[in-house]
Amino acid sequence: MAYANQIQYSNPAPLTLNSLIGGEWVTSGNVSNVYSPADLDQVVAVCNTVTAEQVDSAVSAGQAAFEANRNLGTQARADSLEFVAAELLHRKQELGVLLAREEGKTLPEAVGEVTRAAYIFRFFAAEAIRISGELGESVRPGVRVEVMREALGVVGIITPWNFPIAIPAWKIAPALAYGNSVVMKPAELAPASSHALAEIISRSGLPAGTFNLVLGSGSKVGQRLIEHPGVAAVSFTGSQQVGAGIAATCVSRGAKYQLEMGGKNPLVVLDDADVAVAVEAAVNGAFFSTGQRCTASSRLIVTKGIHDEFVEKTVDRLRDLVVGDPLDTATDIGPVVDERQYRKNAEYVEIGQTEGCELAFGGGRVSGYENGFFQVPALLVNATNQMRVSTEEIFGPVATVIKVDDYDAAVATANDTEFGLSAGICTQSHRFATDFKLKSQSGLVMVNLPTAGLDYHVPFGGVGASSYGAREQGVHAREFYTRTKTVYDLA
Ligand code: NAP
Ligand code: MG
């Protein structure tokens, strides 16, 4: 039976988080507390939030630094990014503990996330030097054509709480590598990891004002940032609802934008799947990181021949999982991020049953640990693809099992969603796997692997309501963080 083990870590004094504007750490007098979702008695940090006027100052600082940053040159820029990478790697354990305490994911997941952030900075350190344009022949004799790549100016970066260091890293590192200034607003629920990253960047040798951090709520600080005419581009990761508002604002003032939003990711399990592989992929994809991943498998679409065995073995596996203290090495799944998300998850477990699902496992609160938001992973079976639990993003440890007749029905069901971020298939058939790669309407396809868990050097993003704009990560990131300029030259 899943249970919460004892909270073992000490309760260090809360960190004080200030904003970084033009190279100075600033406060405003307004504070918000960051609580550990594992133990509400623990205040992880006290966050000094900024005023709208301070957001304006941060954008001005970014504009003012742009020229000095251009003159810095690519080697110094690469060295700065490598400095950040090296320090993140060196401090991955310490920063992993901070991340686990503020967000609630397990320590190995948190250390892994810090490590990923480091490798992203290292990757883009090299890209800062590799950046190049194209030189071509004009169709007119005696004329040369150059296609230059140039920075956009000040980029506004808005990030969610669920990957509080990796998502900032995969936006900040390319933005800086290609010569932009940055104003970043992390999520209020988990700003301490982003703050730690900002503190390292502040010592990396970039001109003051090149990178700015503004702490505060989305509705006040985030909204001011995206509306600011000095912000040339906005990169956002978060919910579909907030993304839609950001898109409208950016369109209205002609700013470039990129959105990474929700998912309702399917994992198809076919009769010929290796059931052990399928169960691992499903349990990892649906429930690890407490199901709080945009790439989480929330719809398990299973063909009828393997359905009962798959459900039985998945329930067996869930029984073995330990839900508990993120810092305990025995823990598999940490708490849900906050009370609002916990209530939402619990409500969907109810909604699913009202809609006709059977609760095959979990769903309740882990008893005895009411000081944190520990939820037993919930598996809803006998679901249809039309139910709210199968169409709406829950963003917690709740997954539905949808039984289908055959492969064709499975593909049709997988694609029958407004989202399209990640999709997986478990099969031993090369024919089905190949066909699924072609037919899946999603930006990421996984064969015999969880829908979540991605490399940092290849494109990331989805289709439909999941994403908008240029892909993130790897060399493809340069499409968003640069623009081309075409230069004609009489030879
Ligand atoms: P969210 O509520 O949309 O918030 C995301 C960020 O936007 C936060 O920093 C938030 O600030 C800010 N924000 C809110 N209103 C704003 C406004 N009017 N103007 C500017 N910024 C505003 O998302 P979340 O709850 O943090 O994260 C969960 C969501 O993120 C899920 O839907 C998940 O699928 C998605 N996600 C997607 C990906 C992906 O790559 N596709 C990755 C991870 C997560 P505050 O919260 O501080 O108020
Ligand atoms: Mg939110």
Side-chain angles (χ1 to χ4, degrees):
M1 183 62 191
Y3 64 96
N5 41 354
Q6 195 66 46
I7 303 294
Q8 292 179 336
Y9 45 87
S10 61
N11 187 0
L15 299 171
T16 300
L17 310 182
N18 295 328
S19 294
L20 178 67
I21 299 178
E24 304 289 329
W25 292 99
V26 303
T27 62
S28 70
N30 302 319
V31 295
S32 73
N33 284 348
V34 181
Y35 296 95
S36 168
D39 178 2
L40 292 176
D41 286 342
Q42 299 203 23
V43 179
V44 179
V46 177
C47 186
N48 286 292
T49 60
V50 297
T51 62
E53 290 69 31
Q54 286 174 311
V55 176
D56 297 348
S57 301
V59 176
S60 301
Q63 290 175 309
F66 190 71
E67 196 60 33
N69 191 26
R70 195 214 306 275
N71 296 336
L72 187 67
T74 53
Q75 183 63 56
R77 195 167 296 131
D79 292 346
S80 295
L81 297 179
E82 177 52 35
F83 173 92
V84 177
E87 185 159 332
L88 286 173
L89 275 183
H90 182 67
R91 294 172 57 193
K92 65 182 181 190
Q93 195 67 24
E94 168 215 338
L95 295 175
V97 169
L98 177 64
L99 200 164
R101 289 187 67 227
E102 75 166 340
E103 198 271 354
K105 67 181 62 177
T106 66
L107 187 57
E109 288 172 333
V111 172
E113 188 182 329
V114 177
T115 306
R116 181 194 178 99
Y119 289 148
I120 290 167
F121 270 87
R122 179 162 290 166
F123 180 93
F124 284 104
E127 284 303 301
I129 290 176
R130 194 175 289 121
I131 181 81
S132 60
E134 298 153 33
L135 188 61
E137 291 286 325
S138 165
V139 292
R140 287 172 281 165
V143 173
R144 267 197 328 225
V145 181
E146 250 176 285
V147 180
M148 298 166 64
R149 285 267 170 193
E150 60 182 22
L152 304 173
V154 179
V155 177
I157 292 178
I158 304 212
T159 54
W161 48 263
N162 67 327
F163 284 93
I165 200 160
I167 293 178
W170 80 53
K171 294 179 189 296
I172 296 167
L176 295 176
Y178 300 130
N180 298 285
S181 301
V182 170
V183 180
M184 186 207 156
K185 192 211 89 69
E188 249 193 322
L189 276 178
S193 301
S194 304
H195 181 274
L197 175 60
E199 196 280 322
I200 298 171
I201 297 172
S202 77
R203 291 183 281 104
S204 70
L206 293 169
T210 302
F211 177 82
N212 304 277
L213 177 79
V214 287
L215 300 174
S217 71
S219 56
K220 202 172 105 188
V221 173
Q223 186 67 29
R224 183 74 164 212
L225 181 60
I226 62 164
E227 284 173 354
H228 199 294
V231 174
V234 175
S235 181
F236 167 80
T237 298
S239 63
Q240 196 191 359
Q241 191 191 2
V242 174
I246 288 179
T249 303
C250 288
V251 166
S252 74
R253 61 179 192 82
K256 190 174 183 179
Y257 65 100
Q258 167 186 64
L259 312 171
E260 292 297 343
M261 299 169 288
K264 200 67 199 174
N265 307 293
L267 177 71
V268 168
V269 179
L270 297 185
D271 285 356
D272 71 0
D274 177 326
V275 73
V277 168
V279 168
E280 267 326 290
V283 169
N284 176 315
F287 301 116
F288 284 11
S289 297
T290 324
Q292 297 175 151
R293 293 185 285 194
C294 51
T295 48
S297 322
S298 49
R299 295 181 296 144
L300 308 174
I301 301 166
V302 186
T303 50
K304 60 188 177 194
I306 199 172
H307 176 274
D308 292 356
E309 183 188 2
F310 171 81
V311 169
E312 191 182 316
K313 291 192 166 152
T314 300
V315 168
D316 285 347
R317 180 77 177 90
L318 291 176
R319 265 197 200 99
D320 289 341
L321 294 180
V322 176
V323 180
D325 173 8
L327 298 186
D328 186 321
T329 51
T331 296
D332 296 300
I333 296 176
V336 171
V337 72
D338 70 353
E339 180 162 10
R340 191 198 57 84
Q341 185 66 52
Y342 177 81
R343 284 181 192 279
K344 182 177 172 188
N345 299 345
E347 198 181 315
Y348 272 106
V349 172
E350 288 301 316
I351 291 169
Q353 292 173 91
T354 311
E355 287 178 307
C357 291
E358 182 198 327
L359 184 61
F361 187 79
R365 193 155 183 164
V366 180
S367 58
Y369 297 91
E370 280 74 13
N371 222 21
F373 304 109
F374 295 100
Q375 185 174 17
V376 185
L379 190 69
L380 291 161
V381 299
N382 301 335
T384 71
N385 201 45
Q386 284 67 43
M387 293 173 174
R388 285 182 61 193
V389 281
S390 301
T391 56
E392 297 171 14
E393 185 184 50
I394 301 171
F395 217 60
V398 183
T400 60
V401 179
I402 302 167
K403 195 196 311 194
V404 293
D405 283 344
D406 54 18
Y407 170 72
D408 289 335
V411 179
T413 306
N415 286 338
D416 183 14
T417 169
E418 64 175 318
F419 297 107
L421 187 55
S422 184
I425 187 165
C426 292
T427 177
Q428 298 190 72
S429 154
H430 184 252
R431 183 167 69 88
F432 287 138
T434 305
D435 193 69
F436 190 74
K437 289 185 217 172
L438 290 175
K439 290 188 180 154
S440 176
Q441 288 162 21
S442 61
L444 307 157
V445 177
M446 310 289 174
V447 179
N448 293 318
L449 286 167
T451 54
L454 306 154
D455 288 359
Y456 62 84
H457 67 302
V458 283
F460 173 77
V463 303
S466 290
S467 299
Y468 180 87
R471 289 282 186 254
E472 299 201 83
Q473 305 207 41
V475 292
H476 295 261
R478 95 177 178 169
E479 289 310 317
F480 184 74
Y481 293 101
T482 65
R483 63 182 165 228
T484 57
K485 180 187 274 175
T486 312
V487 177
Y488 296 88
D489 197 345
L490 183 62

